[in-house]
Amino acid sequence: MSDETKTSTDRPQDANPRDIRTLLSVMAQLRAPDGCPWDVEQTFDTIAPFTIEEAYEVADAIARNDLNDLKEELGDLLFQTVFHAQMASEEQAFSFDDVVETVTTKMIRRHPHVFGDADPRNQAEQGAAWEDIKARERAAKGRTSLLDDVPFGLPALTRAVKLQKRAANIGFDWPTPADVLNKLREETEELTDAMASRDADQIEDEFGDLLFVLANLSRHLKIDPEHALRRANEKFSRRFRYVETRHNAAEDAPSLETMEEWWVEAKAQE
């Protein structure tokens, strides 16, 4: 069909914006030879960072309890899925419909207590069953290790918790949080020794071990380390802004001791 014979409904800008097919048409046109040069040049690798960024922006909108922003950010994240599916369809690898079919089938398969004949489950039972189903899925794909499908692209703390959780499935785990704290003290001493050696590689290695144990402690305490660190970041930001305001209003450059006093004031005000 030539451009002259197309009807208005053939143009994405004239179609129903609430219809997913319109979004798919928008994406196809952006990637067309006469589409957007930037979109045409993209690959899976170049788009992946944007996909991760959009997921973080969704999390940020949730953290701020801004549902209007959440609506927009979920749309941006959906667009990332559409973008990857369009590139895959151009390579005749899979289509957006294939993506939808895959996730729909997976969710039904992983919830036999809802969509099948399995008995109802509580949250703990469902968690155990979910891991069992995923293990069978890994085996079907030829992945033999519990760690095979823990994504490398996850934030490092989150990935550490997932690795430790998988290892705990076969009993490779500290029995109590107190045991993890003892390991934390051990790793702190090893970091101190590494710092004394002034070996940069060893210092980084031991610092990584310390963070890994902290991630393990968070798991035992049932704390999301990313969420806990975000809270700490925001707390620091609030208190530092008070210190910064006092600093900017001072006639002379304040000492570290003075700024520490202001920090204590900010803490007390909270």
Side-chain angles (χ1 to χ4, degrees), residues 2 6 13 18 21 50 60 68 77 80 82 126 133 136 141 150 153-154 187 215 224 268:
S2 68
K6 283 185 179 180
Q13 60 267 39
R18 300 177 70 89
R21 290 171 295 183
F50 295 101
D60 178 68
N68 191 55
L77 187 58
Q80 292 297 306
V82 169
Q126 171 56 16
I133 292 171
R136 284 188 267 122
K141 294 178 180 178
V150 180
L154 286 174
E187 293 296 346
D224 177 355

Side-chain angles (χ1 to χ4, degrees), residues 2-29:
S2 68
D3 291 341
E4 292 77 17
T5 59
K6 283 185 179 180
T7 65
S8 61
T9 55
D10 291 316
R11 306 193 316 164
Q13 60 267 39
D14 297 326
N16 181 4
R18 300 177 70 89
D19 190 330
I20 186 64
R21 290 171 295 183
T22 303
L23 180 57
L24 294 172
S25 178
V26 167
M27 186 70 255
Q29 188 164 324

